[in-house]
Amino acid sequence: MYFAALLARTEDGWEASDTELDDVETLSDLADLAREASPDEDTVLVLIEQEEGWFGVVRVDGEEDPRVYVSDASAAARSSYGEILLTDELLGREPGDDGTDLDALDLDGTEDGEPDDEDADDGAATAGSADAVPHGPVGDAQVLEDLGVSEKELRSMTGDAVNEIAEALGASEVLETVR
């Protein structure tokens, strides 16, 4: 089960809203959704949580690029919401790098004969490692540092992380209204 909420920081404190991510396909779409929640270009946090699996924090400050933290990339990679957050940049890959250079492949075996076993092993390892998603956290673990949640605290959160974050921000009551 998933839960996603927007927390917008205003002059009067935090405002929370439940959000549907069905129409969100990219991190850019998610950032635009967050910006719509705050017409004054205040800080907006998108908190996404898969029960007992992983959580993600996306921070949008005005027109700046979103800052992202994901607690467990390998778990998030198996989720459609997680795939939105796990951009090539966040995972340290070149955009569009799917690990396979189709021009370099000898698909019909007529060019230079069969590769030796060592070359075949190297090719398989390269293709597999490009798609590998690290186990554990990825992204900007200092995303909430100036709001009172240290990197150490963020990395140690498990289970009900969204509520822990909201509590640390002083926004647990407003978040509870949208849960």
Side-chain angles (χ1 to χ4, degrees):
M1 185 167 135
Y2 292 95
F3 174 71
L6 294 172
L7 285 178
R9 189 172 176 183
T10 67
E11 291 178 359
D12 300 324
W14 292 97
E15 292 181 8
S17 57
D18 191 7
T19 187
E20 278 295 320
L21 300 178
D22 294 340
D23 295 331
V24 175
E25 295 180 10
T26 66
L27 182 58
S28 181
D29 293 344
L30 187 60
D32 290 343
L33 181 69
R35 287 182 185 103
E36 290 171 11
S38 178
D40 296 330
E41 295 189 8
D42 293 319
T43 298
V44 179
L45 302 176
V46 181
L47 304 175
I48 302 172
E49 181 177 75
Q50 179 186 7
E51 190 174 309
E52 302 301 319
W54 63 276
F55 70 93
V57 177
V58 178
R59 179 177 177 160
V60 178
D61 294 301
E63 291 300 316
E64 292 181 29
D65 288 341
R67 295 169 57 193
V68 179
Y69 174 80
V70 176
S71 66
D72 186 342
S74 63
R78 296 185 297 269
S79 153
S80 59
Y81 294 148
E83 288 179 351
I84 294 169
L85 305 181
L86 296 175
T87 62
D88 288 335
E89 182 181 348
L90 190 69
L91 296 173
R93 298 188 294 216
E94 291 295 319
D97 180 11
D98 63 3
T100 305
D101 181 3
L102 295 179
D103 294 331
L105 292 178
D106 181 13
L107 298 176
D108 63 8
T110 60
E111 290 4 269
D112 293 319
E114 296 297 317
D116 62 18
D117 290 341
E118 194 173 305
D119 290 344
D121 290 344
D122 288 348
T126 302
S129 64
D131 291 331
V133 175
H135 292 277
V138 296
D140 184 355
Q142 296 177 343
V143 67
L144 301 174
E145 191 100 10
D146 65 322
L147 298 174
V149 181
S150 72
E151 178 178 347
K152 182 179 178 182
E153 290 171 307
L154 189 62
R155 288 184 183 273
S156 68
M157 290 182 181
T158 58
D160 198 9
V162 167
N163 279 337
E164 289 181 51
I165 291 168
E167 188 173 312
L169 299 175
S172 56
E173 287 183 23
V174 293
L175 182 67
E176 194 58 38
T177 62
V178 297
R179 256 197 198 254

Short mmCIF file of all heavy atoms in Angstrom, two decimals, residues 109-153:
data_model
loop_
_atom_site.label_atom_id
_atom_site.label_comp_id
_atom_site.label_asym_id
_atom_site.label_seq_id
_atom_site.Cartn_x
_atom_site.Cartn_y
_atom_site.Cartn_z
N GLY A 109 26.46 -13.57 -36.07
CA GLY A 109 27.64 -14.43 -35.96
C GLY A 109 28.47 -14.51 -37.24
O GLY A 109 29.38 -15.33 -37.32
N THR A 110 28.22 -13.69 -38.26
CA THR A 110 28.95 -13.80 -39.53
C THR A 110 30.12 -12.83 -39.61
O THR A 110 30.93 -12.95 -40.52
CB THR A 110 28.01 -13.52 -40.72
OG1 THR A 110 27.49 -12.20 -40.58
CG2 THR A 110 26.91 -14.54 -40.78
N GLU A 111 30.23 -11.84 -38.68
CA GLU A 111 31.28 -10.84 -38.79
C GLU A 111 32.68 -11.44 -38.57
O GLU A 111 33.39 -11.71 -39.49
CB GLU A 111 31.11 -9.73 -37.76
CG GLU A 111 29.99 -8.72 -37.84
CD GLU A 111 28.93 -8.82 -38.90
OE1 GLU A 111 29.10 -8.24 -39.97
OE2 GLU A 111 27.90 -9.47 -38.66
N ASP A 112 33.05 -11.62 -37.33
CA ASP A 112 34.39 -12.09 -37.00
C ASP A 112 34.37 -13.42 -36.26
O ASP A 112 35.30 -13.74 -35.53
CB ASP A 112 35.12 -11.05 -36.14
CG ASP A 112 35.39 -9.78 -36.92
OD1 ASP A 112 35.76 -9.86 -38.10
OD2 ASP A 112 35.21 -8.70 -36.32
N GLY A 113 33.34 -14.15 -36.36
CA GLY A 113 33.28 -15.43 -35.65
C GLY A 113 32.77 -15.26 -34.24
O GLY A 113 32.31 -14.21 -33.83
N GLU A 114 32.84 -16.31 -33.46
CA GLU A 114 32.34 -16.32 -32.10
C GLU A 114 33.35 -15.67 -31.15
O GLU A 114 34.54 -15.89 -31.28
CB GLU A 114 32.08 -17.77 -31.65
CG GLU A 114 31.00 -18.47 -32.45
CD GLU A 114 29.64 -17.82 -32.30
OE1 GLU A 114 29.26 -17.44 -31.19
OE2 GLU A 114 28.96 -17.65 -33.33
N PRO A 115 32.87 -14.89 -30.18
CA PRO A 115 33.79 -14.32 -29.21
C PRO A 115 34.29 -15.42 -28.27
O PRO A 115 33.61 -16.42 -28.06
CB PRO A 115 32.93 -13.32 -28.44
CG PRO A 115 31.53 -13.83 -28.60
CD PRO A 115 31.50 -14.50 -29.95
N ASP A 116 35.49 -15.22 -27.74
CA ASP A 116 35.96 -16.21 -26.78
C ASP A 116 35.21 -16.04 -25.47
O ASP A 116 34.52 -15.05 -25.25
CB ASP A 116 37.48 -16.16 -26.59
CG ASP A 116 37.97 -14.83 -26.03
OD1 ASP A 116 37.15 -14.08 -25.48
OD2 ASP A 116 39.18 -14.55 -26.15
N ASP A 117 35.33 -17.01 -24.58
CA ASP A 117 34.55 -17.02 -23.34
C ASP A 117 34.82 -15.77 -22.49
O ASP A 117 33.92 -15.23 -21.87
CB ASP A 117 34.86 -18.27 -22.52
CG ASP A 117 34.30 -19.52 -23.17
OD1 ASP A 117 33.38 -19.38 -24.02
OD2 ASP A 117 34.77 -20.63 -22.85
N GLU A 118 36.07 -15.30 -22.46
CA GLU A 118 36.41 -14.14 -21.64
C GLU A 118 35.68 -12.90 -22.13
O GLU A 118 35.14 -12.13 -21.35
CB GLU A 118 37.92 -13.92 -21.70
CG GLU A 118 38.42 -12.97 -20.63
CD GLU A 118 39.94 -12.92 -20.62
OE1 GLU A 118 40.57 -13.97 -20.51
OE2 GLU A 118 40.45 -11.79 -20.74
N ASP A 119 35.64 -12.67 -23.45
CA ASP A 119 34.92 -11.52 -24.00
C ASP A 119 33.43 -11.61 -23.72
O ASP A 119 32.79 -10.62 -23.41
CB ASP A 119 35.13 -11.41 -25.52
CG ASP A 119 36.55 -10.99 -25.89
OD1 ASP A 119 37.26 -10.50 -24.98
OD2 ASP A 119 36.92 -11.17 -27.06
N ALA A 120 32.87 -12.78 -23.82
CA ALA A 120 31.44 -12.96 -23.57
C ALA A 120 31.12 -12.65 -22.12
O ALA A 120 30.11 -12.01 -21.82
CB ALA A 120 31.01 -14.39 -23.93
N ASP A 121 31.97 -13.09 -21.21
CA ASP A 121 31.74 -12.82 -19.79
C ASP A 121 31.80 -11.32 -19.51
O ASP A 121 30.98 -10.79 -18.78
CB ASP A 121 32.77 -13.54 -18.92
CG ASP A 121 32.56 -15.05 -18.91
OD1 ASP A 121 31.46 -15.50 -19.31
OD2 ASP A 121 33.49 -15.77 -18.50
N ASP A 122 32.77 -10.61 -20.10
CA ASP A 122 32.89 -9.18 -19.89
C ASP A 122 31.66 -8.46 -20.40
O ASP A 122 31.15 -7.55 -19.76
CB ASP A 122 34.12 -8.61 -20.61
CG ASP A 122 35.42 -9.03 -19.94
OD1 ASP A 122 35.36 -9.54 -18.80
OD2 ASP A 122 36.49 -8.84 -20.56
N GLY A 123 31.16 -8.82 -21.54
CA GLY A 123 29.97 -8.20 -22.11
C GLY A 123 28.75 -8.40 -21.25
O GLY A 123 27.97 -7.50 -21.04
N ALA A 124 28.58 -9.60 -20.72
CA ALA A 124 27.43 -9.88 -19.86
C ALA A 124 27.51 -9.07 -18.58
O ALA A 124 26.52 -8.54 -18.10
CB ALA A 124 27.35 -11.37 -19.57
N ALA A 125 28.70 -8.97 -18.02
CA ALA A 125 28.86 -8.23 -16.77
C ALA A 125 28.57 -6.74 -17.00
O ALA A 125 27.94 -6.09 -16.17
CB ALA A 125 30.27 -8.41 -16.21
N THR A 126 29.02 -6.19 -18.11
CA THR A 126 28.79 -4.79 -18.39
C THR A 126 27.31 -4.49 -18.57
O THR A 126 26.78 -3.55 -18.01
CB THR A 126 29.56 -4.36 -19.67
OG1 THR A 126 30.93 -4.63 -19.47
CG2 THR A 126 29.35 -2.90 -19.97
N ALA A 127 26.63 -5.33 -19.35
CA ALA A 127 25.21 -5.10 -19.58
C ALA A 127 24.42 -5.22 -18.29
O ALA A 127 23.53 -4.43 -18.01
CB ALA A 127 24.67 -6.09 -20.62
N GLY A 128 24.74 -6.19 -17.46
CA GLY A 128 24.00 -6.39 -16.22
C GLY A 128 24.25 -5.29 -15.21
O GLY A 128 23.37 -4.87 -14.50
N SER A 129 25.48 -4.78 -15.12
CA SER A 129 25.80 -3.80 -14.10
C SER A 129 25.18 -2.44 -14.40
O SER A 129 24.91 -1.67 -13.50
CB SER A 129 27.31 -3.67 -13.93
OG SER A 129 27.89 -3.18 -15.12
N ALA A 130 24.95 -2.12 -15.66
CA ALA A 130 24.36 -0.82 -15.99
C ALA A 130 22.93 -0.74 -15.50
O ALA A 130 22.44 0.33 -15.18
CB ALA A 130 24.41 -0.59 -17.50
N ASP A 131 22.23 -1.85 -15.47
CA ASP A 131 20.85 -1.86 -15.01
C ASP A 131 20.73 -2.08 -13.52
O ASP A 131 19.65 -2.00 -12.97
CB ASP A 131 20.06 -2.94 -15.75
CG ASP A 131 19.86 -2.59 -17.22
OD1 ASP A 131 19.83 -1.39 -17.54
OD2 ASP A 131 19.75 -3.52 -18.04
N ALA A 132 21.84 -2.39 -12.84
CA ALA A 132 21.80 -2.68 -11.42
C ALA A 132 21.40 -1.43 -10.64
O ALA A 132 21.87 -0.33 -10.91
CB ALA A 132 23.15 -3.18 -10.95
N VAL A 133 20.54 -1.63 -9.67
CA VAL A 133 20.11 -0.56 -8.79
C VAL A 133 20.67 -0.90 -7.42
O VAL A 133 20.50 -2.02 -6.94
CB VAL A 133 18.57 -0.45 -8.76
CG1 VAL A 133 18.12 0.58 -7.75
CG2 VAL A 133 18.04 -0.13 -10.14
N PRO A 134 21.33 0.05 -6.78
CA PRO A 134 21.95 -0.26 -5.49
C PRO A 134 20.93 -0.59 -4.41
O PRO A 134 19.82 -0.06 -4.41
CB PRO A 134 22.72 1.02 -5.15
CG PRO A 134 22.09 2.09 -5.96
CD PRO A 134 21.52 1.43 -7.18
N HIS A 135 21.33 -1.48 -3.52
CA HIS A 135 20.52 -1.74 -2.33
C HIS A 135 20.80 -0.61 -1.36
O HIS A 135 21.92 -0.15 -1.24
CB HIS A 135 20.90 -3.08 -1.70
CG HIS A 135 20.52 -4.25 -2.55
ND1 HIS A 135 19.26 -4.78 -2.54
CD2 HIS A 135 21.22 -4.96 -3.46
CE1 HIS A 135 19.20 -5.77 -3.40
NE2 HIS A 135 20.39 -5.90 -3.98
N GLY A 136 19.81 -0.15 -0.68
CA GLY A 136 19.99 0.91 0.29
C GLY A 136 19.66 2.27 -0.26
O GLY A 136 19.13 2.42 -1.36
N PRO A 137 19.99 3.30 0.52
CA PRO A 137 19.58 4.66 0.18
C PRO A 137 20.37 5.27 -0.98
O PRO A 137 21.53 4.94 -1.18
CB PRO A 137 19.82 5.44 1.46
CG PRO A 137 20.80 4.65 2.25
CD PRO A 137 20.64 3.23 1.83
N VAL A 138 19.70 6.15 -1.72
CA VAL A 138 20.34 6.94 -2.77
C VAL A 138 19.79 8.36 -2.70
O VAL A 138 18.70 8.59 -2.18
CB VAL A 138 20.10 6.37 -4.19
CG1 VAL A 138 20.74 5.01 -4.36
CG2 VAL A 138 18.63 6.32 -4.53
N GLY A 139 20.55 9.28 -3.24
CA GLY A 139 20.08 10.64 -3.33
C GLY A 139 20.67 11.55 -2.27
O GLY A 139 21.69 11.24 -1.65
N ASP A 140 20.01 12.66 -2.05
CA ASP A 140 20.47 13.72 -1.17
C ASP A 140 19.96 13.48 0.25
O ASP A 140 18.85 13.89 0.59
CB ASP A 140 19.98 15.06 -1.72
CG ASP A 140 20.49 16.25 -0.94
OD1 ASP A 140 21.15 16.06 0.10
OD2 ASP A 140 20.21 17.38 -1.38
N ALA A 141 20.79 12.87 1.08
CA ALA A 141 20.38 12.56 2.45
C ALA A 141 20.32 13.82 3.32
O ALA A 141 19.83 13.77 4.45
CB ALA A 141 21.32 11.53 3.07
N GLN A 142 20.79 14.95 2.81
CA GLN A 142 20.73 16.22 3.54
C GLN A 142 19.54 17.07 3.10
O GLN A 142 19.46 18.25 3.43
CB GLN A 142 22.03 16.99 3.36
CG GLN A 142 23.21 16.26 3.94
CD GLN A 142 24.53 16.97 3.69
OE1 GLN A 142 24.61 17.85 2.83
NE2 GLN A 142 25.54 16.60 4.44
N VAL A 143 18.61 16.45 2.39
CA VAL A 143 17.47 17.16 1.80
C VAL A 143 16.63 17.89 2.86
O VAL A 143 16.01 18.91 2.57
CB VAL A 143 16.62 16.20 0.94
CG1 VAL A 143 15.93 15.14 1.79
CG2 VAL A 143 15.63 16.93 0.09
N LEU A 144 16.62 17.39 4.09
CA LEU A 144 15.80 17.99 5.15
C LEU A 144 16.64 18.59 6.27
O LEU A 144 16.10 19.00 7.30
CB LEU A 144 14.85 16.93 5.73
CG LEU A 144 13.89 16.28 4.76
CD1 LEU A 144 13.12 15.16 5.42
CD2 LEU A 144 12.95 17.31 4.16
N GLU A 145 17.94 18.64 6.09
CA GLU A 145 18.87 19.09 7.13
C GLU A 145 18.48 20.47 7.69
O GLU A 145 18.41 20.66 8.90
CB GLU A 145 20.29 19.12 6.58
CG GLU A 145 21.35 19.32 7.62
CD GLU A 145 22.03 18.05 8.03
OE1 GLU A 145 21.86 17.00 7.41
OE2 GLU A 145 22.77 18.12 9.02
N ASP A 146 18.23 21.45 6.82
CA ASP A 146 17.90 22.80 7.28
C ASP A 146 16.51 22.90 7.88
O ASP A 146 16.15 23.92 8.47
CB ASP A 146 18.06 23.81 6.14
CG ASP A 146 17.09 23.59 5.01
OD1 ASP A 146 16.81 22.42 4.68
OD2 ASP A 146 16.60 24.59 4.44
N LEU A 147 15.74 21.82 7.77
CA LEU A 147 14.39 21.79 8.35
C LEU A 147 14.35 21.01 9.66
O LEU A 147 13.28 20.79 10.22
CB LEU A 147 13.40 21.18 7.34
CG LEU A 147 13.25 21.94 6.02
CD1 LEU A 147 12.36 21.17 5.06
CD2 LEU A 147 12.73 23.34 6.25
N GLY A 148 15.50 20.55 10.12
CA GLY A 148 15.58 19.89 11.41
C GLY A 148 15.70 18.38 11.39
O GLY A 148 15.65 17.75 12.43
N VAL A 149 15.84 17.78 10.21
CA VAL A 149 16.03 16.33 10.12
C VAL A 149 17.42 16.08 9.56
O VAL A 149 17.69 16.35 8.39
CB VAL A 149 14.96 15.66 9.21
CG1 VAL A 149 15.18 14.16 9.16
CG2 VAL A 149 13.56 15.98 9.71
N SER A 150 18.31 15.59 10.41
CA SER A 150 19.69 15.38 10.00
C SER A 150 19.81 14.20 9.04
O SER A 150 18.92 13.35 8.95
CB SER A 150 20.59 15.14 11.22
OG SER A 150 20.32 13.86 11.76
N GLU A 151 20.94 14.16 8.36
CA GLU A 151 21.23 13.04 7.45
C GLU A 151 21.18 11.72 8.21
O GLU A 151 20.59 10.74 7.74
CB GLU A 151 22.60 13.25 6.83
CG GLU A 151 23.05 12.14 5.91
CD GLU A 151 24.39 12.40 5.28
OE1 GLU A 151 24.91 13.54 5.33
OE2 GLU A 151 24.94 11.45 4.69
N LYS A 152 21.77 11.70 9.40
CA LYS A 152 21.79 10.47 10.21
C LYS A 152 20.37 10.02 10.57
O LYS A 152 20.04 8.85 10.48
CB LYS A 152 22.62 10.71 11.47
CG LYS A 152 22.76 9.49 12.35
CD LYS A 152 23.62 9.79 13.57
CE LYS A 152 23.71 8.57 14.45
NZ LYS A 152 24.48 8.84 15.67
N GLU A 153 19.54 10.98 10.97
CA GLU A 153 18.15 10.66 11.32
C GLU A 153 17.39 10.12 10.11
O GLU A 153 16.66 9.13 10.22
CB GLU A 153 17.43 11.89 11.87
CG GLU A 153 17.89 12.33 13.23
CD GLU A 153 17.29 13.67 13.63
OE1 GLU A 153 17.41 14.63 12.83
OE2 GLU A 153 16.71 13.74 14.72
#
